Amino acid sequence: MSQAATNATRTVSRNVNRQVRRTPKPQIHTKERTTPPPHLLTLADLSPGQITTLLQNAMAMKHVFKTIHPKALIGSLDRRTIALLFSKRSTRTRVASETSVEALGGHPMFLGKDDIQLGVNETLEDTARVVGSMVDGIMARVGGHHEIETLAKHSPVPIVNALSDLYHPTQILADLLTLIETYAPVPPPPSQQERDPNSLNGKKVAWIGDTNNITNELLVTLPRFGMEFRLAAPEGYNKVDPRVWARVTEAGTENLVKLTTKPAEALTDADIVVTDTWISMGQEQEKAERLQAFKGYQITNKMVTDAGANADWKFLHCLPRKQEEVDDEVFYGPRSLVFPEAENRKWTIMACFE
């Protein structure tokens, strides 16, 4: 790496660190945490200030990697191994995780369900202790949330939740970064001006579709940044897990949440429209029933416009996408942020590892 690139990296790092300290604290409803938890199981465990720091670090690393040189990143994972325990299929999370570890100088070790005895012939407790004794960190994509909690309880090294049936923290970090880039665009480098998560305060987010781990993570995160979150799902599919709602009430943000069965109610004055699959992994046998229940929930420009969304509304989807959830006009149209959102999985996961 050239001396100029090295100096530029140090300058960006110093300035971003200064700006993290200077950035006004977002509107928060819980006591500000100063010590990070030992694991990242959900963003509900981080304060808005800590989430802001993660996002600003992600912005800085993205800038260095894309505008200076990939080798200008500080190798904070040099000679370190991160185990990627994935019991479910993955595209964006796996690619983002492996390339992030490599970019920071570490070694990613992918361990799929056919590679190790994860919860089959060996308990999760034993797996956590054994694998944790040989690596420096673990990112785990599991089924039930109790699995990620068990790994965290017994692992001697940090655990990052790559997805459980209850929460998906790294996805929502990518969503937040995408929205900050959209609503607080600034010319590079970050040292000249900081993108501020406070720019999201007051934004209205409409979710049209099934409740799942994405909606759960949005519920415990967006309102703490002053954003309104409206969730529209058919009767019977609009329930919020009591564990999630307890975190919402603990944060005192229930007044910023609206639950409805009518998409038009959620979409009125919306700035951001979001959906996801109606048929998650393990629900394939319910496909016909679910497609019937969600009739009228496909996102189209006409649907959103007729409901009275703001004229410059944007669209998010965590992917993979199916035609019945959103039509091509929206998905591939100028309002769609889905591909920058997918790329930002890398930079936010990189910030988590760093």
Side-chain angles (χ1 to χ4, degrees), residues 235-291:
E235 193 66 49
Y237 297 89
N238 58 342
K239 308 300 181 186
V240 176
D241 189 291
R243 292 169 292 177
V244 175
W245 193 251
R247 302 303 294 264
V248 173
T249 56
E250 174 190 310
T253 55
E254 59 267 40
N255 61 314
L256 291 173
V257 175
K258 179 181 179 64
L259 306 177
T260 179
T261 58
K262 300 176 181 178
E265 287 187 2
L267 290 166
T268 302
D269 297 325
D271 299 291
I272 303 116
V273 180
V274 197
T275 193
D276 188 14
T277 182
W278 302 339
I279 306 158
S280 298
M281 284 183 278
Q283 298 175 337
E284 290 80 6
Q285 72 280 6
E286 305 172 25
K287 181 175 181 179
E289 179 184 347
R290 284 176 166 271
L291 289 179

Side-chain angles (χ1 to χ4, degrees), residues 111-252:
L111 301 170
K113 62 183 180 64
D114 297 324
D115 298 317
I116 60 172
Q117 309 280 357
L118 186 61
V120 181
N121 295 321
E122 186 170 68
T123 65
L124 288 168
E125 176 182 347
D126 292 353
T127 297
R129 289 181 171 180
V130 171
V131 176
S133 71
M134 303 180 191
V135 301
D136 301 285
I138 297 173
M139 189 173 200
R141 189 178 181 93
V142 299
H145 192 67
H146 68 280
E147 296 178 63
I148 199 79
E149 291 178 323
T150 299
L151 290 172
K153 180 179 179 181
H154 298 287
S155 171
V157 296
I159 298 284
V160 175
N161 181 7
L163 176 146
S164 70
D165 66 352
L166 191 65
Y167 290 119
H168 198 352
T170 61
Q171 176 62 56
I172 299 328
L173 284 172
D175 293 356
L176 285 170
L177 178 55
T178 305
L179 293 177
I180 292 168
E181 290 175 336
T182 300
Y183 291 109
V186 298
S191 57
Q192 291 181 0
Q193 184 180 354
E194 183 65 18
R195 291 187 176 102
D196 186 357
N198 284 299
S199 61
L200 302 182
N201 185 51
K203 295 296 183 187
K204 301 176 179 64
V205 178
W207 175 280
I208 311 299
D210 196 16
T211 52
N212 58 19
N213 50 8
I214 302 293
T215 56
N216 292 342
E217 199 71 64
L218 291 169
L219 277 164
V220 300
T221 305
L222 299 191
R224 292 192 292 141
F225 284 89
M227 304 175 74
E228 292 185 34
F229 184 66
R230 294 97 164 261
L231 191 158
E235 193 66 49
Y237 297 89
N238 58 342
K239 308 300 181 186
V240 176
D241 189 291
R243 292 169 292 177
V244 175
W245 193 251
R247 302 303 294 264
V248 173
T249 56
E250 174 190 310

